[in-house]
């Protein structure tokens, strides 16, 4: 990132607005928006993400930054009537990180910048409170020492504990000014011993170092891990907000809190939040002291409470969405420190979107942008069975919904270790902090004994869609002894517990789970219109109806039996996009395929095929019946033949043992020879797909015959079968032409014999780079293309999924080579560009070419948007993902162009 001469790197809060998140970060943009709305925001300014990018790229702040900051600081000092760190009446500022996307607790913040040995006295006089001034100074050295100077935070914590211990008190507030003075001295000594330098006394130096530390924290381990989890690009950088300090710790008429304009768990309107009297902001978010419900503020300070309610209404109407807020009251004066469109649970997202439509604040297209397919997928998770016999041992705050069962672990290291060996774990902590992120990711659910809905555990778990119960105060968590005690029950590490993030209940042992009401609704077992309909189901029903109304992409299912097909239909599938016929050759039928492979003569082969034909036909009749009136794309056999034969090692041992016993088994010997003949080093690129059809006489024609006869039978039964025959792994049009000719002959023969006109479409998968590159030619012989993005990803990247996912994908993800596996979300630049070109070339040859995708990407939210954009006609995915694909197809169609779908 190079700097441009006229670039402006610093914006006063009065200069920005909420649309400048790229430049000012979310926090800075919203502080500016609130300032411009006339809300009480402490004055300040924002250093842009561009400045951060210059610094991260070159290791130096942009040359112009220093002077720009000086100019803004001068203006701020003038407005406040005091100077940064001025000895008799100091201006103090906070230096806070703030990226485009919220990354709670992942980057650094330093408060009370401007305090020094000189100005601490001034602050004491100004506030009329010596204890407060020394407490603020000790907080500064502690935070600055840890985040800016890199001193081990434990050293400060230990000194604080020692001071409390010496005085025989348990809480910080019991330390008086003299104790805190001593503590400051000790902290300064720690800084000197650990870093070899004195704690900086010059206020501007403090500020500049803190800004640099915030820039650096963008690339801290915690931040990087969080970004990967949340798919936040690594090159955005963070802005830095410099804001005049207001104090919530100036006595009982001060305090700090967090509020939501509506309940982030249910979406209901009301007063939701936590308040902590006589405290600074970080105390609430860290969940260190227990807060009171926000409603209590009405009793404590009615004037501020009423003002806050008024502001919350202004914000919700202005943002047209649920907002969350951080505020501070300094001696009866309310200050807004932050607002943003609030994170919410998946269920609340659906409810709020429909509530806002009903309130006339947003329209249906906007409602679709307020929910995501990932949230819908979360709502389809099972829940605990209400009728199960359970042993409830405690209850906390329902912080993030879901039903999680796992073995109790009490530290992140064990959580990661056990989950790597396949165990499901519940991470139990007194409270979590950013160092627990690894363990939180590894765990099925998170349980804490302290902290409210806005504690670190709750905020992060909600962001990850992970079940969380927090603030379960009756739990006594003993991390050292790896156990917890709840009302006399002892839970040791490894004991199974179940936690319900929707009710906050904690159970001992494994509680059985049942399907979610949303799945019951999709299954047709629960009706959205019924009088007692679940509020959530009603909201999902409405949003799905909006999506179905606007979407252009059709949604089909990957299914190969009638049961899956029927479920897919209930879930809204408009056809089958991929029936993998190899699944019909397993189980008892495997031996028939074995006979086919072992056949030495034409007669033997024909006999084997004859035996398979009626079975295949029956499968197709059932499938066409289940999907009557809807298209069903049947793919001819794809996998390499060795998949139908016994394992090579097992068989070799069997033959060797038999030989040793002189007990020859002719069939085993023939089998072993066939296995050797068909054994492939790289089966993904070997004898499979259309290549099989071309070298095994009669195989594909048997399948085509079965399809044609099944379709004829369904037509005769007054059904409406709409079969499409799909040839896999085609690389050149010649392959397709040969198979096509043979297929057409068989179809014509069946039509003549049965007297039924079949109209079977013939098409191909595009799953090899050569097919994509010659799509224009291939379209001459294909009535439709279905992109097989699983194989296309493997062949474009040159790696086989089974091998690479286990061996080096984690390293690639860690190194940021890809943010997400290309098997999960389509690689737009590589695989995607082949798809785009093939769409264009195919349509140029055959304007009415039907285009779909049946790789797993068909059910991935981000990929669905891509397929919409390149103009496919449909996506096909597993039955369970159909609602997600329908929703995302609707979101893609309703999305204003150029906007971010996140
Ligand atoms: C594909 O390659 O994307 C595909 C759908 O085929 P399969 O996964 O069965 O190879
Ligand atoms: Mg494939």
């Amino acid at each position: 990132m190079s700097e441009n001469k006229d670039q402006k790197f610093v914006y006063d809060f009065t200069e920005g607005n909420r649309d400048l998140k790229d430049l000012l970060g979310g926090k800075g943009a919203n502080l500016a928006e609130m300032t411009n709305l006339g809300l009480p925001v402490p004055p300040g300014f924002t250093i842009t993400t561009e400045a951060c990018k210059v610094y991260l790229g070159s290791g130096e702040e942009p040359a112009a930054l220093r002077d720009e900051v000086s100019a803004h600081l001068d203006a701020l000092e003038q407005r406040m009537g005091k100077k940064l760190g001025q000895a008799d009446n100091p201006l103090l500022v906070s230096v806070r990180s703030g990226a485009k996307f919220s990354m709670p607790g992942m980057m650094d913040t330093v408060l009370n910048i401007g305090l020094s040995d000189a100005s601490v006295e001034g602050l004491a006089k100004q506030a009329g409170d010596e204890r407060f001034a020394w407490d603020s100074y000790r907080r500064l050295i502690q935070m600055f020492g840890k985040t800016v100077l890199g001193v081990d935070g434990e050293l400060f914590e230990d000194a604080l504990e020692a001071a409390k211990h010496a005085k025989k008190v348990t809480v910080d507030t019991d330390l008086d000014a003299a104790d805190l003075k001593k503590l400051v001295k000790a902290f300064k000594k720690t800084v000197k011993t650990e870093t070899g330098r004195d704690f900086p006394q010059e206020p501007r130096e403090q500020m500049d170092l803190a800004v640099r530390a915030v820039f650096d924290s963008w690339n801290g381990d915690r931040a990087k891990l969080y970004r990967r989890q949340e798919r936040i690009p690594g090159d955005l950088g963070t802005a830095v907000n410099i804001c005049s300090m207001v104090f919530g710790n100036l006595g009982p008429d001060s305090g700090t809190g967090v509020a939501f304009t509506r309940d982030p768990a249910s979406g209901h309107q009301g007063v939701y939040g936590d308040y902590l009297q006589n405290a600074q902001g970080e105390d609430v978010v860290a969940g260190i002291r227990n807060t009171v419900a926000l409603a209590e503020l009405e009793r404590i300070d009615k004037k501020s409470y009423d003002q806050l309610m008024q502001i919350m209404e202004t914000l919700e109407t202005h943002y047209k969405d649920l907002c969350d807020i951080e505020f501070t009251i300094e001696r009866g004066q309310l200050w807004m420190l932050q607002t943003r469109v609030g994170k919410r649970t998946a269920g609340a997202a659906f409810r709020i979107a429909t509530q806002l439509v009903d309130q006339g604040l947003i329209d249906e297209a906007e409602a679709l942008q307020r929910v995501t397919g990932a949230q819908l997928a979360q709502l389809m998770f099972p829940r605990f069975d209400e009728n199960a016999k359970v042993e409830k041992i405690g209850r906390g705050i329902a912080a993030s919904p879901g039903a999680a069962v796992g073995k109790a672990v009490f530290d992140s290291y064990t959580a990661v270790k056990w989950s790597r060996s396949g165990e499901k774990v519940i991470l139990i902590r007194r409270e979590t902090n950013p160092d627990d992120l690894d363990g939180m990711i590894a765990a099925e659910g998170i349980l804490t004994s302290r902290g409210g809905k806005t504690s670190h555990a709750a905020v992060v778990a909600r962001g990850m869609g992970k079940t969380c119960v927090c603030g379960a105060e009756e739990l006594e968590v003993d991390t050292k002894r790896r156990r917890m005690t709840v009302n006399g029950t002892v839970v040791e590490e490894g004991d199974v517990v179940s936690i319900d993030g929707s009710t906050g209940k904690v159970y001992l042992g494994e509680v059985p789970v049942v399907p979610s009401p949303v799945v019951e609704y999709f299954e047709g077992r629960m009706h959205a219109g019924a009088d007692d309909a679940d509020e959530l189901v009603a909201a999902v029903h409405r949003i799905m109806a909006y999506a179905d109304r606007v979407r252009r992409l059709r949604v089909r299912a990957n299914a190969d039996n009638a049961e899956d097909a029927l479920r897919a239909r209930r879930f809204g599938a408009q056809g089958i996009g991929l029936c993998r016929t190899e699944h019909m050759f397993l189980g008892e039928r495997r031996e028939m395929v074995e006979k086919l492979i072992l056949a030495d003569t034409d007669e033997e082969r024909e006999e084997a095929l004859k035996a398979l034909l009626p079975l295949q036909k029956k499968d197709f009749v059932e499938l066409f019946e289940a999907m009557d009136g809807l298209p069903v794309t049947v793919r001819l056999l794809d996998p390499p033949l060795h998949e139908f034969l016994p394992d090579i090692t097992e068989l070799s041992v069997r033959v060797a043992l038999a030989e040793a016993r002189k007990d020859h088994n002719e069939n085993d010997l023939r089998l072993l020879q066939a296995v050797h003949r068909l054994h492939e080093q790289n089966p993904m690129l070997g004898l499979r797909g259309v290549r099989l059809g071309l070298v095994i006489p009669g195989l594909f024609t048997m399948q085509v015959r079965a399809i044609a006869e099944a379709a004829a039978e369904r037509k005769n039964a007054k059904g409406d079968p709409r079969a499409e025959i799909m040839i896999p792994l085609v690389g050149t049009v010649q392959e397709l032409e040969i198979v096509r000719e043979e297929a057409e002959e068989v179809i014509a023969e069946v039509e003549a014999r049965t007297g039924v006109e079949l109209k079977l479409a013939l098409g191909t998968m595009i799953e090899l780079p050569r097919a994509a590159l010659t799509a224009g030619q291939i379209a001459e012989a294909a009535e439709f293309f279905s992109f097989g993005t699983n194989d296309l990803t493997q062949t474009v990247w040159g790696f086989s999924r089974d091998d690479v996912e286990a061996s080096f994908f984690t390293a690639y993800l860690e190194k940021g080579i890809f943010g997400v596996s290309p098997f999960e979300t389509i690689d737009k630049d590589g695989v995607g560009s082949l798809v785009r070109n093939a769409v264009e070339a195919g349509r140029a040859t055959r304007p009415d070419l039907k285009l779909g995708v049946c790789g797993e990407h068909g059910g991935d939210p981000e990929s669905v948007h891509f397929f919409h954009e390149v103009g496919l006609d449909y996506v096909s995915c597993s039955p369970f993902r159909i609602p997600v694909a329908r929703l995302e197809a609707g979101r893609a169609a309703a999305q204003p162009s150029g906007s971010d779908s996140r």
Side-chain angles (χ1 to χ4, degrees), residues 578 580 635 638 688 728-729 765 767 788-792 794 854-855:
L578 174 63
R580 290 179 165 104
R635 181 177 73 184
D638 183 22
R688 55 168 288 212
L729 216 77
M765 295 193 69
E767 50 185 345
T789 47
N790 301 335
D791 273 310
L792 198 54
Q794 301 199 85
C854 61

Side-chain angles (χ1 to χ4, degrees), residues 131 134 297 299 314 441 480 504 569 588-589 627 826:
R131 184 196 177 280
W134 285 94
L297 180 62
R299 194 180 46 74
T314 306
I441 293 168
K480 289 214 171 80
R569 215 173 169 159
E588 292 163 359
R589 301 186 195 173
M627 293 310 267
I826 187 123

Side-chain angles (χ1 to χ4, degrees), residues 18 24 42 253 278 282 326 482 699 706 777 790 792 822 901:
R18 67 167 155 171
L24 304 179
D253 58 352
N278 197 10
E282 312 317 293
E326 280 178 30
R482 297 164 179 271
L699 175 63
Q777 295 170 7
N790 301 335
L792 198 54
S901 63

Side-chain angles (χ1 to χ4, degrees), residues 100 192 312 391 494 524 833:
K100 176 178 180 185
K192 177 84 189 200
M312 296 212 307
E391 189 182 341
S833 90

